[in-house]
Amino acid sequence: MDDKKDVLDNGPFFHGTKAELKIGDLLEPQHLSNYQDKKSNYIYFTATLNAAKWGAELATSQSKERIYIVEPLGEFENDPNLTDKRFPGNPTRSYRSKSPLKIIAELGSWERHSHEEINHMLSSLKKLSDEGKNVIYD
């Protein structure tokens, strides 16, 4: 019997947010979500810079957008909010975990999506909300 676990993704992994964190800090579940006014059961992260940029840009806070390089400290799974609902096959390499993520570094600079792209995404999310379809399965 082979006890070796399959690695879902080797990373590197990113977390986009507007929270100011320090190297060595832990991101953990059961804190207020970046996107909804509730505590999240999972901590979400990605292995693509593009998805991390969306995380930072769409977070509800008015603070500075940040992207951290993170290390998962436990098992993680595909994010069913994206992989099952919007992007079958997980091309965004989006994941979630009930275990903490350790902050390894912060990206010093990165190029934001254009204002047009961000406004289009916000409009699309508003439309989904208005239709009752912007649900995060957490």
Short mmCIF file of all heavy atoms in Angstrom, two decimals, residues 5-6 13 25 29 58 70 84 86 92 100 121 128 135:
data_model
loop_
_atom_site.label_atom_id
_atom_site.label_comp_id
_atom_site.label_asym_id
_atom_site.label_seq_id
_atom_site.Cartn_x
_atom_site.Cartn_y
_atom_site.Cartn_z
N LYS A 5 0.83 10.72 -0.36
CA LYS A 5 -0.34 11.47 -0.80
C LYS A 5 -0.05 12.17 -2.12
O LYS A 5 1.06 12.64 -2.35
CB LYS A 5 -0.75 12.49 0.25
CG LYS A 5 -1.18 11.84 1.53
CD LYS A 5 -1.93 12.81 2.38
CE LYS A 5 -2.34 12.06 3.63
NZ LYS A 5 -3.59 12.41 4.13
N ASP A 6 -1.05 12.22 -2.97
CA ASP A 6 -0.91 12.97 -4.21
C ASP A 6 -0.88 14.46 -3.90
O ASP A 6 -1.67 14.95 -3.12
CB ASP A 6 -2.08 12.68 -5.15
CG ASP A 6 -2.07 11.26 -5.69
OD1 ASP A 6 -0.98 10.69 -5.81
OD2 ASP A 6 -3.16 10.74 -5.98
N PHE A 13 2.28 29.53 -4.12
CA PHE A 13 0.91 29.91 -3.81
C PHE A 13 0.83 31.37 -3.39
O PHE A 13 1.74 31.90 -2.76
CB PHE A 13 0.36 29.02 -2.70
CG PHE A 13 0.33 27.57 -3.08
CD1 PHE A 13 1.18 26.67 -2.48
CD2 PHE A 13 -0.55 27.11 -4.05
CE1 PHE A 13 1.16 25.33 -2.83
CE2 PHE A 13 -0.59 25.78 -4.41
CZ PHE A 13 0.26 24.88 -3.80
N ASP A 25 3.31 35.59 9.72
CA ASP A 25 1.92 35.58 10.17
C ASP A 25 1.18 34.40 9.54
O ASP A 25 1.56 33.91 8.47
CB ASP A 25 1.19 36.87 9.76
CG ASP A 25 1.54 38.06 10.63
OD1 ASP A 25 2.25 37.89 11.64
OD2 ASP A 25 1.11 39.17 10.28
N PRO A 29 -8.69 30.11 8.81
CA PRO A 29 -10.14 30.18 8.67
C PRO A 29 -10.77 30.77 9.92
O PRO A 29 -10.10 30.99 10.93
CB PRO A 29 -10.55 28.72 8.51
CG PRO A 29 -9.30 27.94 8.30
CD PRO A 29 -8.17 28.77 8.79
N LEU A 58 -10.71 42.75 -5.46
CA LEU A 58 -12.14 42.63 -5.14
C LEU A 58 -12.43 42.59 -3.65
O LEU A 58 -13.60 42.63 -3.25
CB LEU A 58 -12.72 41.39 -5.83
CG LEU A 58 -12.67 41.39 -7.36
CD1 LEU A 58 -13.20 40.08 -7.89
CD2 LEU A 58 -13.42 42.58 -7.95
N VAL A 70 2.35 32.48 0.02
CA VAL A 70 1.96 31.73 1.21
C VAL A 70 2.36 30.27 1.08
O VAL A 70 2.55 29.75 -0.02
CB VAL A 70 0.44 31.83 1.46
CG1 VAL A 70 0.04 33.27 1.75
CG2 VAL A 70 -0.36 31.28 0.30
N ASP A 84 -16.04 23.99 -9.72
CA ASP A 84 -17.28 23.31 -10.07
C ASP A 84 -18.26 24.23 -10.78
O ASP A 84 -19.05 23.80 -11.60
CB ASP A 84 -17.97 22.75 -8.82
CG ASP A 84 -17.16 21.65 -8.17
OD1 ASP A 84 -16.24 21.11 -8.81
OD2 ASP A 84 -17.44 21.35 -7.00
N ARG A 86 -17.59 27.69 -12.17
CA ARG A 86 -17.21 28.65 -13.22
C ARG A 86 -16.10 28.17 -14.15
O ARG A 86 -16.09 28.52 -15.32
CB ARG A 86 -16.80 29.98 -12.56
CG ARG A 86 -17.95 30.61 -11.80
CD ARG A 86 -17.59 31.96 -11.24
NE ARG A 86 -18.73 32.48 -10.51
CZ ARG A 86 -18.68 33.02 -9.32
NH1 ARG A 86 -17.52 33.17 -8.71
NH2 ARG A 86 -19.77 33.45 -8.73
N THR A 92 -7.73 28.20 -12.88
CA THR A 92 -7.28 29.29 -12.01
C THR A 92 -6.40 28.77 -10.88
O THR A 92 -5.86 29.56 -10.12
CB THR A 92 -8.47 30.05 -11.41
OG1 THR A 92 -9.23 29.15 -10.59
CG2 THR A 92 -9.34 30.66 -12.49
N PRO A 100 -4.04 26.57 8.40
CA PRO A 100 -3.48 27.91 8.14
C PRO A 100 -2.57 27.96 6.91
O PRO A 100 -2.05 26.94 6.45
CB PRO A 100 -2.66 28.20 9.40
CG PRO A 100 -3.10 27.22 10.42
CD PRO A 100 -3.61 26.03 9.68
N MET A 121 -15.85 43.16 -14.01
CA MET A 121 -15.98 42.09 -13.01
C MET A 121 -16.95 42.51 -11.91
O MET A 121 -17.81 41.72 -11.51
CB MET A 121 -14.62 41.74 -12.41
CG MET A 121 -14.67 40.67 -11.33
SD MET A 121 -15.15 39.04 -11.93
CE MET A 121 -13.59 38.47 -12.57
N LEU A 128 -24.87 38.95 -10.66
CA LEU A 128 -25.04 37.64 -10.00
C LEU A 128 -25.72 37.81 -8.65
O LEU A 128 -26.61 37.04 -8.28
CB LEU A 128 -23.70 36.94 -9.83
CG LEU A 128 -23.07 36.33 -11.07
CD1 LEU A 128 -21.68 35.81 -10.76
CD2 LEU A 128 -23.95 35.21 -11.63
N VAL A 135 -23.15 33.23 -4.75
CA VAL A 135 -23.09 32.48 -3.49
C VAL A 135 -21.71 31.86 -3.35
O VAL A 135 -21.19 31.28 -4.31
CB VAL A 135 -24.18 31.38 -3.46
CG1 VAL A 135 -24.09 30.57 -2.21
CG2 VAL A 135 -25.56 31.99 -3.63
#
